[in-house]
Amino acid sequence: MYTSPRRPGRLRTPLIVGATVLSVALFGGALHWALPGLVGRSEPVHVDEDADTPSYAGDYLVGEAAWGLSTSRLARTICETWTEEVDGVTFSEQVASDHLDPGAEFLALEREIDAPRNGASYRNDVVLTHNTWYTRLREGTLDVLDGDPVREPENVMVLGNVSPLTLQYVVGADSDIHTLEDLAGTTALIAWEDPETLELSDLVLLAAGLDPLAMDVTSGYDFDTHTPQQVLIDGDVDVYVLLDEVGNAELDHFERQGMEPRVLEIPEEVVATVGRVDPSYTSLTVEAGTLPGHDGEVNMMASWEALYAHADLDEDLAYELVGAVYEDLGDRVPGQVTATVEQALSGVAADRVHPGAARYFSERGAL
């Protein structure tokens, strides 16, 4: 049975913010300046009634069920993009909970709620979170840790996918493991106690026709003295499994330590089988040279960090927001793979797209 002594899974991971932010949180005051939405909405910008401004002009809040610094940076960059590219609006991002609680952020799209840390009231205008949680929301299986569930989940609608996460089986460049079928009889490490990654890996192996137990998942290493990647570098395991951005710091770590990693391809037919269980998982064609060990394009299985809004978000504003994401965001996050217009609704049912976003995608021929 898989166990790990270190890191809790994402579904129950407390938000770890670092000593400085924690100390500010304890003593108040400057935290409102440092994380604008943490204690509620910021003061609205004064709008001259005689000026020619759009009906939606004002301040807006992006809620984020953050589980990593990269997600937080992405939310902040989205807010900066919208503030600079959409006339008359200001966006700020917030992480209001000590816990990874996407249910609470979806709930704050529907109505005003109290932040778990300090009780300050806030309501989100947009949420950035993982699309697998949105699937659970629409299925009625996503709980809110503190509070009532979303009453009308059908009114939480999609603005579009933003950045993919991929399941990666990492081996050494000289390894005899080249396909998923070669994983039978190997020993793999999932460095942290991450039930989502473990369960997803089992599902992929089943879809590939393998018994998941044929790959032995191990842990128990002392990660205070050794990085988890070192276990693969030293040859103590055959495979390192992670769910992360296409290009990520873990892959960079292998190369910095002098090891050439290679990421296994996940064939389209395997992804399609997984997609019948959970349609939020879709194929992603990764360009040549993006992943180590591949001279050409490679197919991977992706889920997405995606944007959501309530159906009552102004349709014209939603149209402007979506346009800014797919026309301007990519230039602001160099080195990070972001969704194209064609990928923006990958795994998304057409009737779940916000009307303003649907208008934009229809004009671009993507819906």
Side-chain angles (χ1 to χ4, degrees), residues 15-40:
L15 181 63
I16 301 172
V17 295
T20 301
V21 176
L22 282 174
S23 62
V24 175
L26 290 172
F27 296 102
L31 183 58
H32 180 69
W33 177 85
L35 295 176
L38 189 59
V39 294

Side-chain angles (χ1 to χ4, degrees), residues 279-303:
S280 58
Y281 292 101
T282 58
S283 281
L284 176 70
T285 300
V286 178
E287 294 181 358
T290 306
L291 284 171
H294 296 279
D295 296 328
E297 292 183 344
V298 58
N299 194 79
M300 299 298 293
M301 185 174 74
S303 55

Side-chain angles (χ1 to χ4, degrees), residues 27-295:
F27 296 102
L31 183 58
H32 180 69
W33 177 85
L35 295 176
L38 189 59
V39 294
R41 291 178 180 272
S42 55
E43 291 297 321
V45 175
H46 174 72
V47 177
D48 185 348
E49 294 181 358
D50 296 327
D52 183 16
T53 58
S55 60
Y56 50 73
D59 279 9
Y60 294 85
L61 198 61
V62 174
E64 175 193 8
W67 59 274
L69 291 177
S70 60
T71 311
S72 181
R73 286 193 296 265
L74 180 62
R76 187 172 299 114
T77 305
I78 290 171
C79 289
E80 292 170 354
T81 301
W82 285 342
T83 299
E84 294 176 17
E85 300 294 336
V86 181
D87 292 339
V89 301
T90 301
F91 274 84
S92 58
E93 54 99 16
Q94 59 85 19
V95 182
S97 176
D98 285 333
H99 301 283
L100 178 62
D101 190 359
E105 302 311 322
F106 285 131
L107 182 63
L109 284 175
E110 183 176 71
R111 58 187 182 272
E112 191 172 85
I113 67 172
D114 293 335
R117 176 189 288 273
N118 55 25
S121 297
Y122 73 100
R123 183 179 175 187
N124 290 327
D125 299 287
V126 178
V127 165
L128 173 69
T129 195
H130 200 224
N131 65 348
T132 56
W133 289 319
Y134 178 69
T135 297
R136 295 172 194 173
L137 172 73
R138 296 299 297 260
E139 292 174 345
T141 59
L142 181 66
D143 295 326
V144 179
L145 297 181
D146 297 301
D148 298 327
V150 177
R151 295 167 187 163
E152 298 178 335
E154 66 276 7
N155 284 330
V156 178
M157 309 199 79
V158 179
L159 294 180
N161 298 326
V162 181
S163 183
L165 300 177
T166 56
L167 182 69
Q168 299 182 10
Y169 294 94
V170 185
V171 299
D174 57 355
S175 171
D176 293 333
I177 303 170
H178 295 279
T179 67
L180 295 180
E181 288 76 12
D182 294 335
L183 293 174
T186 63
T187 300
L189 176 70
I190 298 176
W192 315 113
E193 189 183 352
D194 188 340
E196 181 176 2
T197 301
L198 181 60
E199 291 167 9
L200 186 57
S201 174
D202 286 349
L203 190 57
V204 166
L205 295 180
L206 281 170
L210 298 176
D211 179 355
L213 296 179
M215 184 179 74
D216 181 31
V217 179
T218 187
S219 187
Y221 291 89
D222 182 2
F223 296 135
D224 288 330
T225 56
H226 298 287
T227 65
Q229 298 87 359
Q230 194 65 37
V231 180
L232 177 62
I233 294 171
D234 291 343
D236 293 335
V237 298
D238 305 304
V239 188
Y240 184 83
V241 187
L242 69 152
L243 179 64
D244 209 329
E245 298 175 357
V246 176
N248 58 76
E250 302 208 44
L251 293 177
D252 293 341
H253 180 84
F254 286 116
E255 295 177 334
R256 287 195 301 271
Q257 297 302 312
M259 175 184 175
E260 294 184 32
R262 175 163 46 84
V263 180
L264 301 187
E265 181 171 42
I266 299 183
E268 289 186 35
E269 58 271 21
V270 173
V271 179
T273 301
V274 174
R276 287 198 286 270
V277 177
D278 186 339
S280 58
Y281 292 101
T282 58
S283 281
L284 176 70
T285 300
V286 178
E287 294 181 358
T290 306
L291 284 171
H294 296 279
D295 296 328

